[in-house]
Amino acid sequence: MVKPLMDDDLNRRLVALLQLEGRMSHAELAERLGVSRPTIIDRVKRLEADGVLSGYTARVSPAAVNKPTVAFVAVRYKDNNEAIEQRFIKALEDEPDILEAHTIAGEDALLLKVVADTPAGIAERLRRIRALGPMVTTRTTMVLETHWEKAGPSPFPVEGPGKKVRK
């Protein structure tokens, strides 16, 4: 029986380091984890192939690109038409200031994370969202302050990481 990749402590520590600094070199990863560079290269390739590591991106601060206003927008469909919903979701994907879209349980159908330069900019994006799907209503929650954001879920079990990852 093959052990799942994330059941391995070295893989968990490797993922945790990459979450902290995705640009860390294989040599530095190997040094911090106390293994050889070829071991790290092989592990990273396997984690990528298995979909554990799904990409490497730069996290851009919305404020740094003059879009400091953040809102979460709950979307509700007036009709239950899956074809229309799928076209709407696809159209949302092309909107550059919609950073996230999640199908959710409850009265609302989608939860979007939207950024803009000002609250008036959020209002404009809401108009565009409603224009994309005329059979939708929205409810918006403005973010007053973001305390922190994480790069992804911890690769460690809830009980704790066992070994601490050095920064």
Side-chain angles (χ1 to χ4, degrees), residues 17-18 20-26 28-29 56-58:
L17 276 174
L18 287 170
L20 290 173
E21 179 53 62
R23 296 181 58 186
M24 196 176 297
S25 71
H26 289 142
E28 186 173 349
L29 290 165
Y56 302 87
T57 61

Side-chain angles (χ1 to χ4, degrees), residues 14-15 18 43-45 47-56:
L14 173 58
V15 168
L18 287 170
R43 297 287 181 121
V44 168
K45 284 181 183 176
L47 290 164
E48 289 171 343
D50 211 45
V52 174
L53 298 175
S54 60
Y56 302 87

Side-chain angles (χ1 to χ4, degrees), residues 46-106:
R46 287 188 2 225
L47 290 164
E48 289 171 343
D50 211 45
V52 174
L53 298 175
S54 60
Y56 302 87
T57 61
R59 294 189 326 203
V60 177
S61 163
V65 292
N66 296 320
K67 295 180 181 175
T69 307
V70 180
F72 288 93
V73 179
V75 177
R76 187 176 297 178
Y77 301 116
K78 293 179 183 174
D79 288 333
N80 192 9
N81 182 320
E82 191 162 335
I84 291 173
E85 291 174 20
Q86 290 307 311
R87 282 196 304 273
F88 178 67
I89 291 169
K90 182 65 180 150
L92 290 173
E93 192 174 355
D94 294 332
E95 289 291 323
D97 292 334
I98 299 176
L99 304 183
E100 299 176 13
H102 307 273
T103 297
I104 57 175

Side-chain angles (χ1 to χ4, degrees), residues 138-160:
T138 61
R139 182 177 43 84
T140 303
T141 302
M142 299 294 290
V143 174
L144 299 177
E145 181 179 6
T146 298
H147 300 285
W148 46 262
E149 292 178 335
K150 295 182 180 181
S154 169
F156 297 102
V158 175
E159 296 81 39

Side-chain angles (χ1 to χ4, degrees), residues 9-42:
D9 185 59
L10 177 59
N11 285 341
R12 286 193 299 265
R13 293 186 294 135
L14 173 58
V15 168
L17 276 174
L18 287 170
Q19 285 179 310
L20 290 173
E21 179 53 62
R23 296 181 58 186
M24 196 176 297
S25 71
H26 289 142
E28 186 173 349
L29 290 165
E31 181 181 324
R32 287 194 183 195
L33 295 171
V35 297
S36 70
R37 188 174 163 271
T39 296
I40 292 298
I41 292 169
D42 178 60

